[in-house]
Amino acid sequence: MDSTMRKSFLTLARCPERETVACPAQLNLTKERLTVGRAANSDARLQQKSVSRNHAMIRRRDNHFLVVDLASSNGTCINGIRVLQQQLKDGDTVTFGDVEYVFHQCDEPPEASDEAPEGAQFEATVDLGSETRGQEEHAVPGDAVQECGIVGRSCALMDAVRTTMRAAATDATVLIRGESGTGKELLARLIVNESARNTKRFIPVACSAIDPNIMGSTLFGHEKGAFTGAIGLKKGVFEEAHGGTVFLDEIGELELAMQVKLLRVLQEGEITRVGGVNPIPVDVRIIAATNRDLETALKGGHFREELYYRLKVIEITLPPLRERIEDIPDLAKFFMEECRQSFSSPVHGIGPDAIRALQRYSWPGNVRELRNVIERSMVLADASTLSVSDLPGEIVDGPKDRGLDADSLSGNATLEDVERAYIKKVLEKCENNKQRAAKQLGISRSTLYEKLREIGTRKDT
């Protein structure tokens, strides 16, 4: 029989609390996604104590099914092995906490049994040994994660991915935090790809790259004649993304007036075009990202408290590359493969000496900098294997400018002196580009101009 016509379902194999708490005898996998958990709105509600409120999700892709753990307390196991996500095969045993099901794809479902099959053992409730637990925590991400370009097996990265997968199963607002170059947009795309809005538009907006004078028109649109040059009606990002997702990168750069309008979108689900008077309803999920310390911005009056709490319903922190150096070998190989698909190169591997050098470097530019280093090295290398001699000098020797030169400041230097010297250094490094300098300093462009006026170091541009 054609496999596309086969029925797919889970039949109950073991439910330890079944005498007091009922378990569904069969879960038919007829929907695009099925949520499992104790929450009342779960598609498959399992009220056992070992099951988390939002425990797992089963997604259909063509005639294949992917089990995704939603950061559950007691884990989701397939054939006794705890997984983050994994595709199901006919006959696989799937456990949610202490509740065990068997996955089937066949013409007619077998009868569900009230007891576990003779001789069956429920391995997922056993306290896993350190070796097994380490393998789980360092599990390689599944296809959906790798398709978004998220590569690595470190605990810090896996924690972020687990929270991301859990966020994807909801429609909550998400705030992604992390240094520049850590891959915040990749996480945002993963959320969208695994969410119910994955067939709708995803529009990323780089808040720091848009002139504040046209930010209102960009986000909310404008009416004809709203300002000089507005020769026709224009829909903004939120209208264009209706039903989908808007990713606001560098949200900390939004001016206060624009923050008020964004708050209205979150609270009321509506926008008003520039020059318009009638509110327009919009159905949009917002994912925001920042590399700034928003708490400090709050105290300084540069970020609205109401917006801050509206954005961080779910908060995900991406670790910098220097805190996940065990991921560098996988990332290097991933970028090498990407480069080979883009241009011809004799390089097909990377030596252990080069890997050690990459792991010793502090990576101020994070994953983005690593990709650039790999591409540059592959372009210039002659041998088939990258060695330490193929890497840029600053990678091997370490960054030449990790901070202020202590000898350049006297022992009586004040905090203002240190700040002035550091701002000068950053401006020199950024070739007096204020936008880049502000980004590196972790402050808004307007704050940088204020500091430059205060300390008298502003240069003509």
Side-chain angles (χ1 to χ4, degrees), residues 235-424:
K235 291 184 178 181
V237 165
F238 287 109
E239 277 190 89
E240 293 287 357
H242 183 71
T245 306
V246 172
F247 174 56
L248 298 175
D249 195 11
E250 300 181 48
I251 187 73
E253 304 303 317
L254 276 186
E255 295 187 344
L256 287 171
M258 204 56 55
Q259 292 178 27
V260 174
K261 295 182 178 181
L262 177 58
L263 185 61
R264 184 182 177 192
V265 178
L266 288 165
Q267 290 179 333
E268 308 297 335
E270 61 184 29
I271 58 101
T272 301
R273 297 187 190 121
V274 176
V277 293
N278 298 319
I280 300 169
V282 290
D283 172 23
V284 174
R285 182 183 193 174
I286 294 177
I287 302 174
T290 184
N291 60 6
R292 292 187 61 191
D293 183 349
L294 292 185
E295 290 74 18
T296 300
L298 273 175
K299 293 175 183 177
H302 302 298
F303 204 83
R304 294 187 64 89
E305 185 176 19
E306 307 98 308
L307 179 59
Y308 172 74
Y309 289 112
R310 281 282 183 175
L311 288 173
K312 62 173 292 184
V313 176
I314 298 177
E315 187 173 12
I316 305 171
T317 301
L318 260 177
L321 187 54
R322 63 181 173 274
E323 293 179 8
R324 41 179 288 228
I325 61 172
E326 60 268 48
D327 290 337
I328 286 177
D330 288 334
L331 283 164
K333 292 172 186 175
F334 177 79
F335 292 140
M336 288 173 69
E337 183 58 35
E338 273 195 342
C339 290
R340 278 198 295 269
Q341 293 176 9
S342 300
F343 58 84
S344 177
S345 172
V347 178
H348 294 284
I350 182 167
D353 60 335
I355 289 293
R356 285 192 294 270
L358 293 175
Q359 290 181 318
R360 285 194 299 267
Y361 184 65
S362 62
W363 298 109
N366 289 293
V367 178
R368 185 184 295 126
E369 183 182 7
L370 174 61
R371 194 207 182 285
N372 291 342
V373 166
I374 294 296
E375 182 175 5
R376 172 184 170 183
S377 300
M378 288 186 67
V379 168
L380 300 177
D382 295 319
S384 61
T385 300
L386 284 182
S387 67
V388 69
S389 62
D390 296 311
L391 301 177
E394 64 267 23
I395 301 298
V396 180
D397 301 330
K400 292 182 170 57
D401 185 12
R402 291 179 182 243
L404 291 176
D405 182 356
D407 295 333
S408 65
L409 295 172
S410 70
N412 297 321
T414 65
L415 182 60
E416 184 179 344
D417 293 331
V418 175
E419 183 180 61
R420 180 188 298 112
Y422 185 61
I423 289 177
K424 282 183 177 180

Side-chain angles (χ1 to χ4, degrees), residues 18-30:
R18 194 177 183 189
E19 293 182 358
T20 55
V21 183
C23 288
Q26 182 172 299
L27 304 177
N28 292 315
L29 304 179
T30 56

Side-chain angles (χ1 to χ4, degrees), residues 201-213:
R201 289 197 69 181
F202 170 70
I203 302 181
V205 179
C207 297
S208 65
I210 300 175
D211 188 324
N213 294 321

Side-chain angles (χ1 to χ4, degrees), residues 10-198:
L10 295 169
T11 55
L12 184 66
R14 186 168 187 244
C15 180
E17 303 171 50
R18 194 177 183 189
E19 293 182 358
T20 55
V21 183
C23 288
Q26 182 172 299
L27 304 177
N28 292 315
L29 304 179
T30 56
K31 300 169 62 177
E32 288 297 315
R33 65 185 64 227
L34 180 138
T35 56
V36 179
R38 283 192 294 111
N41 62 349
S42 297
D43 297 319
R45 192 179 185 192
L46 306 180
Q47 300 185 57
Q48 282 64 27
K49 296 177 181 178
S50 63
V51 179
S52 298
R53 284 182 54 80
N54 298 293
H55 195 103
M57 174 174 62
I58 302 175
R59 291 198 61 197
R60 174 195 283 268
R61 287 184 173 177
D62 298 325
N63 203 40
H64 302 291
F65 293 86
L66 187 73
V67 174
V68 180
D69 184 75
L70 301 178
S72 62
S73 299
N74 294 313
T76 301
C77 298
I78 294 180
N79 300 325
I81 302 298
R82 190 166 177 171
V83 298
L84 172 62
Q85 62 175 4
Q86 185 169 313
Q87 186 172 304
L88 288 173
K89 301 187 299 294
D90 188 27
D92 277 350
T93 298
V94 187
T95 55
F96 310 102
D98 287 354
V99 182
E100 183 175 291
Y101 283 86
V102 178
F103 175 68
H104 296 283
Q105 281 189 311
C106 58
D107 298 343
E108 294 295 336
E111 295 183 2
S113 97
D114 290 341
E115 302 295 334
E118 185 177 353
Q121 299 294 322
F122 184 66
E123 301 174 15
T125 57
V126 178
D127 184 25
L128 297 171
S130 59
E131 180 179 353
T132 306
R133 183 177 292 112
Q135 291 171 354
E136 295 164 10
E137 292 174 345
H138 291 76
V140 178
D143 291 342
V145 179
Q146 291 180 337
E147 285 172 6
C148 289
I150 300 170
V151 178
R153 295 175 284 183
S154 62
C155 292
L157 179 64
M158 288 298 96
D159 285 344
V161 169
R162 289 188 183 96
T163 307
T164 299
M165 299 303 288
R166 189 165 187 173
T170 75
D171 210 29
T173 305
V174 180
L175 177 63
I176 304 174
R177 310 184 80 151
E179 295 178 7
S180 179
T182 50
K184 297 184 288 294
E185 185 171 338
L186 299 181
L187 273 195
R189 289 184 182 277
L190 177 60
I191 292 172
V192 173
N193 290 351
E194 298 299 304
S195 75
R197 296 178 183 264
N198 60 359

